[in-house]
Structures are given as structure tokens and as C-alpha cells.
Amino acid sequence: MRVGAPKFPGIKRLTPAEQARLKTFRSSFASADGSCIGCGGELALRLVSSALNWEAANVRWRDQEGRVRGGGAGGGLPGIMLTEHTGCEQVCKTTNDTSAWMRTFWEDGPRSMLHATFSDGTPLLTGLHYAYQARIKNGTLDQPFFFWSFAGDGATTIGAGPIMNFLQQGWGLLIIYDNRGYMNTGAQVSSTTWPFENRATTPVGVDIPGNQFFPVDWMRIAAALNVPFAATASPAFPMDLMNKVRYAINVPGPTIIWVDSPCPKEQGFGPELTKDMSRLAVDSGLFPIVRYQDGEWAVDILRSQQRTGKPTSLEAYFGGQVKSRHLASPAFDEQLRLLSKEVERRYAWYLRQAGYEPVPAGQRKNGQPTVRLGEGVEAPSLYLPPGVEEPIRSLDQF
Ligand code: SF4
């Protein structure tokens, strides 16, 4: 087993009452942190932090004297170490001499946060983990630690090399909040901006109709790097997001969760519509909710077309944003057709990988899913019984 790994506790399916409580569990971020009202990234990280605190409250371990520790009051709590890549959420959460990262209701679980540059958050996280391993080995520390980092899609674009290295060799949970641009510096195009979107560096004009490139599919890059766990999530589906965080933080090795994080300020919509925007991205198929776990793919939330037979149009998503509503106008029919074709191609690929097949027309009922898992196909479970053997992740476990 890797030295210093949190013991794999067995991620349990929660009862409805526990699920309701998890949604309101305290986050480690102070409530007024400088983000714009309705910021999707802020909402996403708050849900992530709440899920981590929930999971921390459930960790038990033995100290050097053999006593069982953990469980909060009196028993201690694991430490949580966070590194922040430069970006909107880092700037909003860490202005000069202040930080929104705080201790919550317990005082005996160390909470640390370090700011890294655009590209250095994951190397820093892995380095911290190895320093932690050394202290476990030399007996100066016996407490489990959670290691996590967050980055925007801009920092991911700049730091693609280090992040790929992290996904192959690193340690900890990386959360990407994706608002499809460098929103912190004035909404320049990033590697995840949709084609034909209007950004500061790719304005919609007479000769060029906005951004000219399809977004990078980071889930497929993560899978190619053989990461043990990679998933997408959306704040519009908070339980899915939080349960993925609970699972990912317990996996020894590198993990990544890519969270759709609409930006009201730079995409141009009302701050009360953030979750609706994210839901439209999921339901239209622009942002598939998928998971790559131990070499297998799963689609966790089908888009509305497959879930209920009723498609959600791309016009509904783009038309609701000041910056992209040109895509919902007849003048951009051709661009929307090209974009839609790529969305269909990507979505169909995920359905195939996850083992879905169409439900024959005669067996379909109104409002019921139009696809189903093929014979004998089972999606990998996010929930494991307590005491399950820790899966083998890397050679240094031996
Ligand atoms: S600019 Fe966008 S991403 Fe940045 S804090 Fe404001 S709403 Fe959030």
C-alpha cells in the first residue's frame, strides 16, 4: 500500500436524509469571498469543499500509540491541503494578506492552502504529498491528509503539460472549474471555449464568426493517461458532483473532476440563472456528465434527449447568453449546424464507450429513456462496501 494513503474507507451510498444533510454540510470557504454574484466556479468549489469536509468527518485511523482517531470532536480529523492555480477563484479567494479558506467547526484538523502560479498547482500538490509521505515514514506524523487543488480552464490551458504529468504520476484530487475562457483577465478564449463563441480575442465579426476551434476533451486525455478516476460534473446536479468528490478523494493517486461552471459576468446572463445555464449545457449534450473509473466509462446523467425523448436545443443554451446569442440567430445557422454535428459525434462516442444501445421504437414509452445499457453491461459503482480491498494503483504500493 502507498505510504500515507488515506485508508480506503468504502464509500457508502447515503440514505435520503444523509443526502439532504450533505447538501448543507459546511464548506471551508467563507461566504463572502469576492466572486461575482452567481459565479458558477464559486458554487462548484463550495460543493466540493462541503463534500470533502463530509468525507473528512468519516475518516478513522490509528495513531502511533495505536489509538483509534478521527470522527471529529476529541478524536481529531484528517488534514486538508489545498493548492490554488491562479485564476478567478484564486483571486477571489485569496487577496493580499487574506484568505477565504478557513477552519470550520473543528479546530483539530489542519487546513492549509497555498497559492501557485497558473501552471504549478499540481506539481506543488504532488510535492507536498511526497513531503508528507516522508514525515509518515520517519514517524513525525501519523495523521491522514486529503490533498486537492483547483484550477480554471485557463490555468489548465496554460499548465497542460504539468497537469498531464500529474494525471500520470501525481497525487491528489484536481478540480477544474470550466467557464470556457480566461474570465479573470477579460474573457479571452481558452482551450475549452465553444466554437463561434464571442470572446475578447475571438470577437464575432464580418470575416471571422468568433472562436474557430473545438474544445479539448480533457476526459479523453485523462483516460489516455491511465488516470484511476476522471469525471465531469455540474452544480445543477449537486449530489452527483459531491458523491464523485467523496469517491475521488479516497482514491490513492491522481484524480480529476471537471466541473461545468457558468460565468454570469463574462458569458452574460442573470446571476440567478447559473444552475439553469449549467443544466442546459448538460441537457443539450454540450457538457456530458461522464466518468472514467478503473478503465471503464459510464454516463452518469443522460441528456434530456436520451433521458426523456425530448431534446434540449443548443439555441436554448446559447440564446440565453449575451455573449453567444448570435448563435441562436438564423444568420448563424451554418455555424450552429457544424457545432451540433460535433456535439452529436462526441455524445455518441461516450454512449458507445459506456455500453448504451437504443431502445427499439416499439418498446419506448413517452418520457422514458431512449437508450439503455446493453446486455450484461454494468456501470462501475461509485459506492463500495466498507472494508473493501484497496485497488492497486501504482508500483510503489509493493
Ligand atoms: S468573472 Fe465569472 S468566473 Fe470570474 S468570479 Fe466573476 S462570475 Fe466567477
Side-chain angles (χ1 to χ4, degrees):
M1 181 182 145
R2 274 191 174 188
V3 176
K7 192 171 179 311
F8 206 71
I11 310 299
K12 288 177 289 202
R13 189 179 286 276
L14 302 181
T15 63
E18 285 172 322
Q19 296 209 20
R21 196 164 151 249
L22 171 57
K23 275 198 240 179
T24 61
F25 212 64
R26 287 281 297 273
S27 154
S28 290
F29 294 117
S31 53
D33 76 348
S35 303
C36 308
I37 298 170
C39 173
E42 143 71 6
L43 174 59
L45 293 180
R46 192 164 289 281
L47 291 167
V48 169
S49 169
S50 299
L52 288 175
N53 283 342
W54 173 281
E55 215 40 40
N58 289 315
V59 170
R60 302 283 187 280
W61 73 95
R62 276 190 195 280
D63 66 14
Q64 281 151 351
E65 278 82 49
R67 291 173 303 198
V68 176
R69 302 285 309 278
L77 285 150
I80 299 184
M81 181 75 78
L82 163 67
T83 65
E84 305 174 328
H85 295 69
T86 300
C88 258
E89 286 308 307
Q90 175 272 318
V91 170
C92 295
K93 291 185 176 1
T94 318
T95 52
N96 194 23
D97 286 344
T98 67
S99 171
W101 178 244
M102 59 177 192
R103 289 178 177 221
T104 50
F105 45 85
W106 49 69
E107 290 302 316
D108 50 358
R111 301 283 176 271
S112 299
M113 180 278 291
L114 283 111
H115 169 216
T117 62
F118 272 112
S119 56
D120 293 346
T122 46
L124 179 60
L125 191 70
T126 304
L128 288 167
H129 174 74
Y130 284 118
Y132 164 76
Q133 277 191 322
R135 290 200 54 189
I136 292 282
K137 269 186 186 165
N138 69 22
T140 56
L141 198 65
D142 60 10
Q143 193 170 16
F145 260 72
F146 289 167
F147 290 83
W148 76 292
S149 183
F150 65 71
D153 50 299
T156 309
T157 306
I158 292 178
I163 285 180
M164 285 167 70
N165 185 262
F166 164 81
L167 293 175
Q168 186 202 17
Q169 306 175 9
W171 187 285
L173 165 61
L174 173 61
I175 300 288
I176 309 292
Y177 60 97
D178 184 1
N179 47 34
R180 302 187 191 87
Y182 288 86
M183 302 320 198
N184 175 41
T185 49
Q188 295 86 0
V189 73
S190 83
S191 64
T192 63
T193 308
W194 302 117
F196 316 117
E197 280 200 300
N198 193 352
R199 292 287 179 267
T201 41
T202 57
V204 176
V206 176
D207 294 325
I208 301 176
N211 178 35
Q212 295 292 287
F213 300 99
F214 285 110
V216 172
D217 188 341
W218 273 91
M219 284 299 99
R220 289 171 71 170
I221 291 181
L225 290 163
N226 216 17
V227 74
F229 183 85
T232 56
S234 155
F237 298 92
M239 283 316 304
D240 175 75
L241 193 167
M242 294 172 99
N243 280 327
K244 283 173 174 169
V245 171
R246 293 176 57 219
Y247 184 90
I249 200 64
N250 285 291
V251 174
T255 54
I256 179 169
I257 301 180
W258 198 280
V259 190
D260 182 47
S261 302
C263 166
K265 178 170 175 281
E266 296 295 353
Q267 289 175 312
F269 57 84
E272 72 284 7
L273 298 174
T274 304
K275 278 173 88 171
D276 296 338
M277 276 297 155
S278 191
R279 193 174 179 109
L280 284 170
V282 173
D283 273 349
S284 63
L286 274 169
F287 196 88
I289 301 295
V290 299
R291 177 162 45 107
Y292 181 77
Q293 185 177 323
D294 298 325
E296 289 180 52
W297 286 99
V299 175
D300 290 312
I301 296 164
L302 292 167
R303 62 176 173 170
S304 66
Q305 186 174 341
Q306 274 82 28
R307 204 170 60 237
T308 64
K310 289 191 186 142
T312 299
S313 70
L314 294 178
E315 288 100 318
Y317 175 74
F318 288 116
Q321 301 172 35
V322 172
K323 283 276 179 75
S324 300
R325 62 185 174 203
H326 57 282
L327 275 167
S329 75
F332 280 79
D333 274 356
E334 179 55 15
Q335 282 78 13
L336 198 70
R337 192 188 64 75
L338 284 172
L339 179 47
S340 170
K341 195 172 158 198
E342 178 65 7
V343 168
E344 293 304 316
R345 192 186 68 78
R346 291 188 185 201
Y347 208 89
W349 187 89
Y350 279 119
L351 286 177
R352 274 199 311 278
Q353 297 304 311
Y356 279 92
E357 57 186 33
V359 178
Q363 296 174 21
R364 277 186 213 158
K365 292 192 186 127
N366 276 348
Q368 300 272 311
T370 62
V371 292
R372 63 184 174 202
L373 286 173
E375 181 94 15
V377 179
E378 244 178 68
S381 175
L382 268 183
Y383 306 100
L384 300 169
V388 72
E389 284 291 308
E390 185 173 300
I392 294 170
R393 303 291 182 199
S394 85
L395 297 181
D396 72 359
Q397 285 177 251
F398 296 100

